[in-house]
Every structure is written in C-alpha cells, then in structure tokens.
C-alpha cells in the first residue's frame, strides 16, 4: 500500500520534459488538451496520496484508532515510517492550501480590478481600449468576454498587425483558454514538479491562438511579425492582467515566431508516442492512488473487526 501511494508523488517528476516534447510534436490544440488533462489528474492523485498518508498516520495513534473503532492494529508499514510520512504529508498539504489560497485571492482581486477598469470604458463590440502609456493586450474572460488593449499597444502596431492581435485574443476567448490556465495554476500549487508544466500549458494556449490568428488573416508571416512586435512593445511594461487572462505577449516569443514561420505541424508516430507516454503516466498514477486508497479502506475494515474480510 505504501509503495503504491508513493507512485503518484513520484510520477509528476517525469512529466515536464514529456510535456515540452509533446508541445513540439503534437498539434497545439491537441497538446493543450493532453498536457492539461494529465497535469490536473496527476495533481489530484498526488493530493489523494498525501491525504491517505495523513489518515494512515492518524490511525496509528491510539486515541484516534479508538475513535475509528479499530479493535486490531492497522496493518501498515512500521510506526517509525508511517508517522513521519504523515507529518511530512500534513506539512505539504498545508503549504499547498496556503499558497493556493493566496494565489486565488490575488487572482480574484486582479480579475475584479480588470473587469471594473474594462467596464468604465466604452466598448466597440468585444474590444475595450484603455488609455495607458504601457503597451498591453489580453483576453479578459467573463460575461461578456472582452479584448482589452491599451492605447500604447495600438500605437506600437500598424493596422494589419492590430487585426492579428485582435484575432489572437478572440481565439483565446472563443477557445476558453482561461480554463486551461486556471487548471494549470491549480496543478502547479498541488505538486512542485508540475510548475514547469504550467508554463508549457501557457505556451500551448498561445500557440493555439497564434494558429487561429494566422488562419483568420491568411498570412503566417504577418502573424509572426505582429506577435514579435507586440511582445517587443509590451515585454517590459507592467501589466495588471490576471494570471488566467491569456495575452499575445506571453510565452517564449522566439519559439512562437519560429513555429509560425514553419508549416503547420502534422502529428506523426513520434508525437503519438509522446502523447501515449503522458497518458500512461497519468493512468498509472490514477491506478496507483485508487488501488492504494481501496487497499487502505480494506485494511481499516479488517482492523475494525469486520469478519467478512
């Protein structure tokens, strides 16, 4: 049981490199879905494993064993292994809860501030122009969706490049990419190995929007130029956008520009193997955590004196 519950805590360390390779080889939309689903499931399995270690440790204590109506000792690893593991798990869960809570509060404040600022400005359809000396542009989720662009960003681009920028941000809103970014943030706070995966998911979302913008304007070179110029203009400028609000200026720009200047990616066997590897890690983590929890429940029933077990 203990060995099974360790697997969900170790498998996420194999995912960051595989996720980067998946993004390089899969179509951006497929990579976004595969990597995000894997990150969320792996994060959930790691939390379940930590929770199981905490329960095992608690039931090793006589007072809590009596409270749980255990009439026999719980069959687990030795006391000197289980109790320290439970203590470490409590600490890990506490850190996860605190950092996630702080991030959520910060994000809610940023989102409310951005929606309030956008609500004060007249909108032309879904476009909201904010008077600011700092170049910035991002897709703001909510009802209704908004594309927030500052006057400084508009001055940094020509008319054709602005159309690319608007198409890019609309693709974010239409694709619901803020949900993927929120899931990536959640996973990153649940396991430290999933923090690099958060950046890969962000890049995947930008790659999807880049491809959608290129298809909308019918010119990949123009799209690459617009992305590069927008990023150059807004690279050092402060931004009040929420973390879950995707922006054309985020991510490794040379990587995105290079992808736009090459032919659209067609998945091949190597790409499918990488996707299969990610899904295999996720499936193994889920199976290990589920089997470990079922085994733990079975042992608790035995310790409670259930004769049928």
């Amino acid at each position: 049981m203990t060995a099974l519950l360790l697997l969900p805590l170790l498998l996420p360390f194999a995912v960051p490199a595989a996720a980067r390779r998946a993004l390089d080889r899969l179509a951006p939309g497929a990579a976004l879905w595969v990597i995000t689903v894997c990150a969320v499931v792996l994060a959930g399995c790691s939390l379940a494993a930590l929770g199981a270690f905490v329960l095992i440790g608690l039931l090793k204590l006589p007072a809590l064993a009596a409270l749980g109506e255990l009439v026999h000792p719980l069959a687990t690893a030795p006391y000197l292994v289980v109790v320290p593991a439970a203590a470490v798990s409590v600490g890990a869960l506490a850190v996860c809860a605190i950092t996630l809570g702080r991030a959520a509060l910060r994000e809610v404040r940023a989102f409310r501030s951005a929606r309030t600022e956008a609500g004060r400005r007249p909108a032309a359809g879904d476009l909201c122009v904010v008077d600011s000396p700092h170049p910035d542009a991002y897709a703001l989720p909510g009802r209704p969706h908004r594309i927030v662009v500052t006057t400084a960003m508009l001055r940094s681009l020509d008319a054709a490049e602005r159309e690319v920028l608007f198409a890019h941000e609309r693709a974010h809103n239409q694709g619901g990419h803020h949900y993927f970014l929120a899931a990536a943030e959640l996973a990153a706070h649940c396991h430290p190995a999933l923090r690099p995966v958060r950046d890969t998911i962000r890049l995947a979302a930008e790659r999807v929007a880049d491809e959608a913008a290129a298809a909308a304007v019918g010119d990949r070179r123009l799209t690459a130029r617009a992305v590069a110029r927008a990023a150059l203009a807004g690279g050092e400028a402060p931004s009040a956008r929420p973390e879950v609000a995707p922006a054309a200026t985020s991510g490794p720009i040379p990587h995105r520009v290079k992808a736009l200047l090459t032919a659209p990616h067609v998945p091949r066997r190597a790409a499918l193997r990488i996707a299969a590897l990610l899904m295999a890690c996720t499936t193994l983590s889920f199976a290990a955590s589920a089997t470990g929890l079922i085994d733990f429940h079975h042992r608790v029933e035995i310790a409670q004196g259930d004769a049928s077990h």
Side-chain angles (χ1 to χ4, degrees), residues 282-305:
T282 305
T283 303
L284 181 58
S285 179
F286 180 82
S289 60
T291 305
L293 290 172
I294 291 170
D295 183 51
F296 170 64
H297 181 262
H298 177 76
R299 295 183 188 214
V300 168
E301 289 185 328
I302 293 176
Q304 288 173 333

Side-chain angles (χ1 to χ4, degrees), residues 39-108:
V40 170
V41 174
L42 287 168
C45 291
S46 67
L47 290 181
L50 289 173
F53 277 123
V54 172
L55 289 176
I56 293 169
L58 290 175
L59 290 177
K60 279 290 188 179
L61 302 175
L64 292 172
L67 189 63
E69 300 180 349
L70 303 188
V71 296
H72 305 294
L74 185 64
T76 63
Y79 184 89
L80 292 179
V81 173
V82 170
V83 173
V88 171
S89 298
V90 168
L93 288 171
V95 170
C96 173
I98 292 170
T99 58
L100 183 58
R102 287 177 178 173
L105 286 174
R106 185 170 58 249
E107 194 68 6
V108 168

Side-chain angles (χ1 to χ4, degrees), residues 137-139 169 172 177-178 181 202 206 241 243-248 250:
Y138 56 91
E169 304 302 352
H172 280 314
H177 293 168
H178 51 283
L181 300 189
R202 283 188 166 278
E206 295 306 322
R241 66 174 178 266
E243 290 293 325
V244 298
S250 61

Side-chain angles (χ1 to χ4, degrees), residues 135-137 153 165 168-169 206 227 230-235 241 247-251 253 256:
D136 199 10
M153 179 61 81
L165 182 68
H168 178 102
E169 304 302 352
E206 295 306 322
V227 166
L232 185 64
R241 66 174 178 266
T249 57
S250 61
I253 301 303
R256 293 170 55 195

Side-chain angles (χ1 to χ4, degrees), residues 25 266-276:
R25 289 165 173 77
V266 178
R268 296 180 180 177
R269 288 184 179 179
L272 297 178
R273 284 197 294 268
I274 291 295

Side-chain angles (χ1 to χ4, degrees), residues 153-166 222 225-226 229:
M153 179 61 81
L154 293 178
R155 288 193 295 267
S156 301
L157 306 176
D158 62 30
E161 291 165 349
R162 291 173 194 165
E163 290 304 315
V164 172
L165 182 68
F166 300 155
L222 169 63
R225 188 176 77 235
R229 290 193 62 184

